[in-house]
Coordinates of all heavy atoms in Angstrom, one line a residue:
V135 N 20.8 156.7 110.0 CA 20.8 157.0 108.6 C 19.8 156.1 107.9 O 19.1 156.4 107.0 CB 22.2 157.1 108.0 CG1 22.1 157.3 106.5 CG2 23.0 158.1 108.7
S136 N 19.9 154.8 108.3 CA 19.1 153.8 107.6 C 17.6 154.2 107.8 O 16.8 154.1 106.9 CB 19.4 152.4 108.1 OG 20.7 152.1 107.9
V137 N 17.3 154.6 109.1 CA 15.9 154.9 109.4 C 15.5 156.1 108.5 O 14.4 156.1 107.9 CB 15.7 155.2 110.9 CG1 14.4 155.8 111.1 CG2 16.0 154.0 111.7
L138 N 16.4 157.1 108.5 CA 16.0 158.3 107.7 C 15.9 158.0 106.2 O 15.1 158.5 105.5 CB 17.1 159.4 108.0 CG 17.1 160.0 109.4 CD1 18.2 160.9 109.6 CD2 15.8 160.7 109.7
S139 N 16.8 157.2 105.7 CA 16.9 156.9 104.3 C 15.6 156.2 103.9 O 15.1 156.4 102.8 CB 18.1 156.0 104.0 OG 19.3 156.7 104.3
S140 N 15.0 155.4 104.7 CA 13.8 154.7 104.4 C 12.6 155.6 104.3 O 11.6 155.3 103.7 CB 13.5 153.6 105.5 OG 13.2 154.3 106.7
K141 N 12.8 156.8 104.8 CA 11.7 157.8 104.8 C 11.9 158.8 103.6 O 11.1 159.7 103.5 CB 11.6 158.6 106.1 CG 11.3 157.7 107.3 CD 9.9 157.1 107.2 CE 9.5 156.3 108.4 NZ 8.2 155.8 108.3
T142 N 13.0 158.7 102.9 CA 13.3 159.7 101.9 C 12.3 159.7 100.8 O 11.9 158.7 100.3 CB 14.7 159.3 101.3 OG1 15.7 159.4 102.3 CG2 15.0 160.4 100.2
Q143 N 11.8 160.9 100.5 CA 10.9 161.2 99.4 C 11.4 162.4 98.7 O 12.3 163.1 99.1 CB 9.5 161.4 100.0 CG 8.9 160.3 100.8 CD 7.6 160.7 101.5 OE1 7.3 161.9 101.6 NE2 7.0 159.7 102.1
Q144 N 10.8 162.6 97.5 CA 11.1 163.7 96.7 C 9.9 164.5 96.3 O 8.8 164.0 96.3 CB 11.8 163.3 95.4 CG 13.3 162.8 95.7 CD 14.0 162.7 94.4 OE1 13.4 162.4 93.3 NE2 15.3 162.8 94.4
I145 N 10.1 165.8 96.1 CA 9.0 166.6 95.6 C 8.5 166.1 94.3 O 9.3 165.8 93.4 CB 9.5 168.1 95.5 CG1 9.9 168.6 96.8 CG2 8.4 169.0 94.9 CD1 10.6 170.0 96.7
N146 N 7.2 166.1 94.1 CA 6.6 165.7 92.8 C 5.7 166.8 92.5 O 4.5 166.9 92.9 CB 5.9 164.4 92.9 CG 5.6 163.9 91.5 OD1 5.5 164.6 90.6 ND2 5.3 162.6 91.4
Y147 N 6.2 167.8 91.7 CA 5.4 168.9 91.3 C 4.2 168.5 90.3 O 3.3 169.2 90.1 CB 6.2 169.9 90.5 CG 7.2 170.6 91.3 CD1 8.5 170.1 91.6 CD2 7.0 171.9 91.8 CE1 9.4 170.7 92.4 CE2 7.9 172.6 92.6 CZ 9.2 172.0 92.8 OH 10.1 172.7 93.6
D148 N 4.3 167.3 89.7 CA 3.4 166.9 88.7 C 2.2 166.2 89.2 O 1.2 165.9 88.5 CB 4.1 166.0 87.7 CG 5.3 166.8 87.1 OD1 5.2 167.9 86.7 OD2 6.4 166.2 87.1
E149 N 2.2 165.8 90.5 CA 1.0 165.1 91.0 C -0.1 166.1 91.2 O 0.1 167.3 91.4 CB 1.3 164.4 92.3 CG 2.3 163.2 92.2 CD 2.4 162.4 93.5 OE1 1.6 162.6 94.3 OE2 3.4 161.7 93.6
P150 N -1.4 165.6 91.2 CA -2.5 166.5 91.3 C -2.4 167.4 92.5 O -2.8 168.5 92.5 CB -3.7 165.6 91.3 CG -3.3 164.4 90.6 CD -1.8 164.2 90.9
T151 N -1.9 166.8 93.6 CA -1.9 167.6 94.9 C -0.5 168.3 95.1 O -0.3 168.9 96.1 CB -2.1 166.7 96.1 OG1 -1.2 165.6 96.0 CG2 -3.5 166.1 96.0
E152 N 0.4 168.1 94.1 CA 1.7 168.7 94.2 C 2.4 168.4 95.5 O 3.0 169.3 96.2 CB 1.6 170.3 94.0 CG 1.0 170.7 92.7 CD 0.7 172.1 92.6 OE1 1.6 172.9 92.9 OE2 -0.4 172.5 92.3
R153 N 2.4 167.1 95.8 CA 2.9 166.7 97.1 C 4.4 166.8 97.2 O 5.1 166.6 96.2 CB 2.5 165.3 97.4 CG 1.0 165.2 97.7 CD 0.5 163.8 97.9 NE 0.6 163.0 96.6 CZ 0.3 161.7 96.5 NH1 -0.1 161.1 97.6 NH2 0.4 161.1 95.4
T154 N 4.9 167.0 98.4 CA 6.4 167.1 98.6 C 6.8 166.3 99.8 O 6.2 166.5 100.9 CB 6.8 168.6 98.9 OG1 6.3 169.4 97.8 CG2 8.3 168.7 98.9
G155 N 7.7 165.4 99.6 CA 8.3 164.6 100.7 C 9.7 165.0 100.9 O 10.4 165.2 99.9
L156 N 10.2 165.0 102.1 CA 11.5 165.5 102.4 C 12.3 164.6 103.3 O 11.7 163.9 104.2 CB 11.4 166.9 103.0 CG 10.7 167.9 102.1 CD1 10.2 169.1 102.9 CD2 11.7 168.5 101.1
L157 N 13.6 164.6 103.1 CA 14.5 163.7 103.9 C 14.6 164.2 105.3 O 14.8 165.4 105.5 CB 15.9 163.8 103.2 CG 17.0 162.9 103.8 CD1 16.7 161.5 103.7 CD2 18.3 163.2 103.2
G158 N 14.6 163.3 106.3 CA 14.7 163.7 107.7 C 16.1 164.1 108.1 O 17.1 163.6 107.5
S159 N 16.2 164.9 109.1 CA 17.5 165.3 109.6 C 17.3 166.1 110.9 O 16.2 166.2 111.4 CB 18.2 166.2 108.6 OG 19.4 166.6 109.0
S160 N 18.4 166.6 111.5 CA 18.4 167.4 112.7 C 19.6 168.2 112.8 O 20.6 167.9 112.2 CB 18.2 166.5 113.9 OG 18.2 167.3 115.1
T161 N 19.6 169.2 113.7 CA 20.7 170.1 113.9 C 21.7 169.5 114.9 O 22.7 170.0 115.2 CB 20.3 171.5 114.3 OG1 19.5 171.3 115.5 CG2 19.5 172.1 113.2
D162 N 21.3 168.4 115.6 CA 22.1 167.9 116.7 C 22.5 166.5 116.3 O 21.9 165.5 116.6 CB 21.2 167.8 118.0 CG 22.1 167.5 119.2 OD1 23.2 167.0 119.0 OD2 21.6 167.7 120.3
E163 N 23.7 166.4 115.6 CA 24.1 165.1 115.1 C 24.5 164.1 116.2 O 24.3 162.9 116.0 CB 25.3 165.3 114.1 CG 25.0 166.1 112.9 CD 25.2 167.6 113.1 OE1 25.7 168.0 114.2 OE2 24.8 168.3 112.2
T164 N 25.0 164.6 117.3 CA 25.5 163.7 118.3 C 24.3 162.8 118.9 O 24.4 161.6 119.0 CB 26.1 164.5 119.4 OG1 27.2 165.2 118.9 CG2 26.6 163.5 120.5
R165 N 23.2 163.5 119.1 CA 22.1 162.8 119.7 C 21.4 162.0 118.6 O 20.9 160.9 118.9 CB 21.1 163.8 120.2 CG 21.6 164.5 121.5 CD 20.8 165.7 121.9 NE 19.4 165.3 122.1 CZ 18.4 166.1 122.2 NH1 18.6 167.4 122.1 NH2 17.2 165.7 122.4
I166 N 21.4 162.4 117.3 CA 20.7 161.7 116.3 C 21.4 160.4 116.0 O 20.7 159.3 115.9 CB 20.7 162.5 115.0 CG1 19.7 163.7 115.1 CG2 20.4 161.6 113.8 CD1 19.7 164.5 113.9
F167 N 22.7 160.4 116.0 CA 23.4 159.2 115.5 C 23.9 158.3 116.6 O 24.8 157.5 116.5 CB 24.6 159.7 114.6 CG 24.1 160.5 113.4 CD1 24.4 161.8 113.3 CD2 23.3 159.9 112.4 CE1 24.0 162.5 112.2 CE2 22.9 160.6 111.4 CZ 23.2 162.0 111.3
S168 N 23.4 158.6 117.8 CA 23.7 157.7 118.9 C 22.9 156.4 118.8 O 21.7 156.4 118.7 CB 23.4 158.4 120.2 OG 23.6 157.5 121.3
R169 N 23.6 155.2 118.8 CA 22.9 154.0 118.7 C 22.1 153.7 120.0 O 21.2 152.8 119.9 CB 23.9 152.8 118.5 CG 24.6 152.9 117.2 CD 25.7 151.8 117.1 NE 26.4 151.9 115.8 CZ 26.0 151.3 114.7 NH1 24.9 150.6 114.7 NH2 26.7 151.4 113.6
Q170 N 22.4 154.3 121.1 CA 21.6 154.1 122.3 C 20.4 155.0 122.4 O 19.8 155.0 123.5 CB 22.6 154.3 123.5 CG 23.6 153.2 123.7 CD 24.8 153.4 122.7 OE1 25.1 154.5 122.3 NE2 25.3 152.2 122.3
M171 N 20.2 155.8 121.4 CA 19.1 156.8 121.5 C 17.7 156.0 121.6 O 17.5 155.0 121.0 CB 19.0 157.7 120.3 CG 18.0 158.8 120.4 SD 17.7 159.6 118.8 CE 19.4 160.1 118.4
K172 N 16.9 156.6 122.4 CA 15.5 156.0 122.6 C 14.7 156.2 121.3 O 14.9 157.2 120.6 CB 14.8 156.6 123.7 CG 15.4 156.3 125.1 CD 14.6 156.8 126.2 CE 15.2 156.5 127.6 NZ 14.4 157.1 128.7
K173 N 13.9 155.2 121.0 CA 13.1 155.3 119.8 C 12.2 156.5 119.8 O 12.1 157.2 118.7 CB 12.2 154.0 119.7 CG 11.4 154.0 118.4 CD 10.6 152.7 118.3 CE 9.8 152.7 117.1 NZ 9.0 151.4 117.0
E174 N 11.6 156.9 120.9 CA 10.8 158.1 120.9 C 11.5 159.3 120.6 O 11.0 160.2 119.8 CB 10.1 158.2 122.3 CG 9.1 157.1 122.7 CD 9.9 155.9 123.2 OE1 11.1 155.9 123.3 OE2 9.2 154.9 123.4
N175 N 12.7 159.5 121.1 CA 13.5 160.7 120.8 C 14.0 160.7 119.3 O 14.0 161.7 118.7 CB 14.8 160.7 121.6 CG 14.5 161.1 123.1 OD1 13.4 161.7 123.3 ND2 15.3 160.7 124.0
K176 N 14.2 159.5 118.8 CA 14.6 159.4 117.4 C 13.5 159.9 116.5 O 13.7 160.7 115.5 CB 15.0 158.0 117.0 CG 16.3 157.6 117.6 CD 16.6 156.1 117.5 CE 16.8 155.7 116.0 NZ 17.1 154.3 115.8
V177 N 12.3 159.5 116.8 CA 11.1 159.9 116.0 C 10.9 161.4 116.1 O 10.7 162.1 115.1 CB 9.9 159.1 116.4 CG1 8.6 159.7 115.7 CG2 10.0 157.6 116.1
F178 N 11.0 161.9 117.3 CA 10.8 163.3 117.5 C 11.8 164.2 116.8 O 11.5 165.1 116.1 CB 10.8 163.6 119.0 CG 10.8 165.0 119.4 CD1 9.6 165.8 119.2 CD2 11.9 165.7 119.9 CE1 9.5 167.1 119.6 CE2 11.9 167.0 120.2 CZ 10.7 167.7 120.0
L179 N 13.1 163.8 116.9 CA 14.1 164.6 116.3 C 14.1 164.5 114.8 O 14.4 165.4 114.0 CB 15.5 164.1 116.8 CG 15.8 164.5 118.2 CD1 17.1 163.9 118.7 CD2 15.8 166.0 118.4

Side-chain angles (χ1 to χ4, degrees):
V135 174
S136 300
V137 172
L138 293 173
S139 299
S140 66
K141 298 292 184 179
T142 298
Q143 299 172 346
Q144 286 190 336
I145 298 172
N146 193 338
Y147 292 82
D148 305 309
E149 290 188 20
T151 56
E152 299 169 52
R153 291 175 291 180
T154 306
L156 300 157
L157 181 66
S159 180
S160 177
T161 56
D162 190 343
E163 293 90 6
T164 302
R165 291 168 58 191
I166 287 179
F167 302 114
S168 173
R169 294 177 180 271
Q170 290 76 31
M171 186 192 306
K172 293 182 180 181
K173 182 177 181 181
E174 293 80 3
N175 288 337
K176 291 170 67 177
V177 173
F178 173 72
L179 291 174

